Amino acid sequence: MPTTRSSTRPAAPEPTMQTAARAFLSSPSFAVAGASSNPAKYGHILFTWYLSHSLPVTPLNPSSPSITIPSHPQPKSHATVPSPSALPHPGQTALSIVTPPAVTSKVLKEARDAGVRAVWLQPGSFGEEELAYAEREWPGRAVGGFGEGTRGAEGWCLLVDGEAAMRGREKM
């Protein structure tokens, strides 16, 4: 009796947070939901992280038409967009979220509907529901939680884990 080959392939390995972080940072453009002019807020610190790495970034803030970032020789104003659907190219944009969990839930739904490419949920911006939703809607392109590989005690954070992920994105 002839033998037949099985057409089933072994299952692809489960994506890790490291691969999701590298995929996130391989995006052509970025946005920060919760961007702020206030240097004490994480939305400000996160936005300036992108600027300091010369990455194209758009601030999302529905309450202000712009945010101001100190720079030399004078502060620079950056026009905001009010929501993920207002991004110029959402399908090419990875969205960092640094908002309270109730707001994050709404931002995630808008981001999904707009076709945002990837999301990174910063520590404190989500609960179990928001993280599960992000992982379901952006398989392999959602970063957040306490998965293996983070160097921070607060979970996956762009400010802590972003450098390593940027070095690894060339492997993508």
Side-chain angles (χ1 to χ4, degrees), residues 91-148:
Q92 298 176 5
T93 304
L95 178 61
S96 289
I97 301 175
V98 59
T99 58
V103 175
T104 297
S105 182
K106 294 174 189 171
V107 170
L108 286 171
K109 288 179 177 112
E110 289 178 21
R112 181 207 58 210
D113 292 346
V116 165
R117 175 186 173 119
V119 295
W120 191 312
L121 304 176
Q122 287 295 118
S125 70
F126 63 92
E128 288 180 30
E129 267 184 53
E130 292 82 14
L131 181 58
Y133 180 86
E135 289 175 333
R136 184 175 63 250
E137 296 298 326
W138 289 274
R141 292 187 178 271
V143 183
F146 296 91
E148 187 178 328

Side-chain angles (χ1 to χ4, degrees), residues 16-26 46 49-50 53 55 96 120-123 126 143-169:
T16 65
M17 276 303 152
Q18 291 102 332
T19 58
R22 287 192 297 266
F24 178 93
L25 286 166
S26 295
L46 203 59
W49 185 91
Y50 283 104
H53 289 83
L55 295 170
S96 289
W120 191 312
L121 304 176
Q122 287 295 118
F126 63 92
V143 183
F146 296 91
E148 187 178 328
T150 181
R151 297 178 324 149
E154 301 295 318
W156 278 88
C157 174
L158 184 69
L159 303 172
V160 175
D161 300 306
E163 298 295 329
M166 287 201 36
R167 284 190 301 274
R169 69 184 177 170

Side-chain angles (χ1 to χ4, degrees), residues 64-101:
S64 177
S66 67
I67 63 168
T68 302
I69 304 297
S71 60
H72 185 75
Q74 62 188 32
K76 182 168 181 188
S77 180
H78 298 267
T80 65
V81 296
S83 68
S85 61
L87 288 166
H89 305 287
Q92 298 176 5
T93 304
L95 178 61
S96 289
I97 301 175
V98 59
T99 58

